[in-house]
Amino acid sequence: MKSFSGFVTSGLVGAVFLATAMPALAIEKGDLIVRVGFTTVSTEESSSLVSTTVTGALNGTAVHVGNDTQPGLNLVYMHSDNIGVEVLAATPFKHDLSVSGLSQYGFSTTDLGSTKHLPPTISALYYFGPTSSPIRPYAGVGVNYTTFFSESLSTSARTELGGSRLKLDDSFGLAVRAGVDWELNDTWILNASFLRIDIDTDASFNSALGIVQAKVDIDPFVYMMSVGYKF
Ligand code: NI
């Protein structure tokens, strides 16, 4: 059995050998990184009062938007050792929509229905630290376009409120971005990141009381855990 100091010495020698044998790690100019993982959209919504053509604004009402998690994909192209351009994409997110405050007006509806959306975002990223560092945090700003589709009203919204034709307007806004890449070797990267997106929409549908509408600021935090491959 080796002595403790002998064990430590051979361990150190091994570590030094491993370090010198490994190819140089670097995220640097010209790299293309493709990351695949899970993306959670966590809404931080605030809404105007719900209004109808007949009644005007209904005090005490609000619209709420639920969370969703989907597979996500993002691409980063390193324009220089420190500046990258990133494109974010995902499979469509589905969010439940609900309404609060209608009970005081004699309605029992709380579930409004659901909508799907895609929030493609292009960001400029600044990577901190030297290219030799295996851990590279980054931050950036971007522009987001969110398109809503497959809006559908709940049974109670259709029967009790006489609802039809739910629509959420598309949104164009800014995004802020931060994350960290951890290079496992010259090819594989672990990534954790988040994004805050300014998504504002007008939600409306037809009803027995005319057009029902509310402005909803969804403004979600988007969290991503992903595995990256560097080309
Ligand atoms: Ni907003």
Side-chain angles (χ1 to χ4, degrees):
M1 198 174 169
K2 282 178 181 173
S3 71
F4 179 70
S5 65
F7 186 77
V8 168
T9 305
S10 62
L12 283 175
V13 168
V16 168
F17 175 75
L18 200 63
T20 51
M22 273 187 349
L25 292 171
I27 289 174
E28 60 196 357
K29 177 180 163 81
D31 283 347
L32 176 66
I33 303 168
V34 178
R35 306 192 196 103
V36 176
F38 285 95
T39 303
T40 296
V41 174
S42 175
T43 62
E44 293 280 321
E45 89 281 5
S46 64
S47 112
S48 69
L49 297 176
V50 176
S51 71
T52 78
T53 310
V54 171
T55 63
L58 296 169
N59 281 323
T61 54
V63 171
H64 309 280
V65 184
N67 300 338
D68 193 29
T69 298
Q70 291 293 331
L73 174 74
N74 64 69
L75 303 175
V76 179
Y77 175 74
M78 295 303 290
H79 182 69
S80 73
D81 287 350
N82 293 92
I83 294 176
V85 177
E86 181 186 53
V87 178
L88 291 171
T91 53
F93 294 93
K94 185 180 181 189
H95 294 270
D96 292 329
L97 303 170
S98 60
V99 59
S100 59
L102 286 185
S103 60
Q104 59 188 315
Y105 301 99
F107 296 105
S108 64
T109 297
T110 53
D111 174 17
L112 266 189
S114 64
T115 182
K116 291 184 179 176
H117 76 87
L118 277 174
T121 305
I122 295 178
S123 305
L125 306 180
Y126 183 83
Y127 272 73
F128 299 96
T131 57
S132 58
S133 169
I135 294 179
R136 299 285 304 276
Y138 58 85
V141 290
V143 287
N144 164 264
Y145 181 74
T146 296
T147 182
F148 295 92
F149 58 95
S150 299
E151 298 100 324
S152 98
L153 283 167
S154 68
T155 304
S156 66
R158 280 185 280 117
T159 55
E160 188 183 44
L161 307 177
S164 65
R165 293 171 171 268
L166 175 64
K167 169 135 189 43
L168 278 77
D169 289 346
D170 292 352
S171 167
F172 189 72
L174 289 178
V176 289
R177 182 95 177 96
V180 59
D181 275 323
W182 177 22
E183 288 188 89
L184 301 177
N185 56 39
D186 200 37
T187 307
W188 294 99
I189 295 171
L190 285 182
N191 176 271
S193 68
F194 86 93
L195 179 70
R196 180 96 197 256
I197 314 177
D198 187 14
I199 301 177
D200 304 333
T201 185
D202 287 322
S204 62
F205 61 92
N206 298 338
S207 80
L209 296 173
I211 296 170
V212 178
Q213 57 188 339
K215 286 186 185 299
V216 188
D217 285 7
I218 301 174
D219 298 350
F221 278 102
V222 180
Y223 302 101
M224 274 167 265
M225 293 293 294
S226 57
V227 174
Y229 186 90
K230 200 176 74 178
F231 290 92

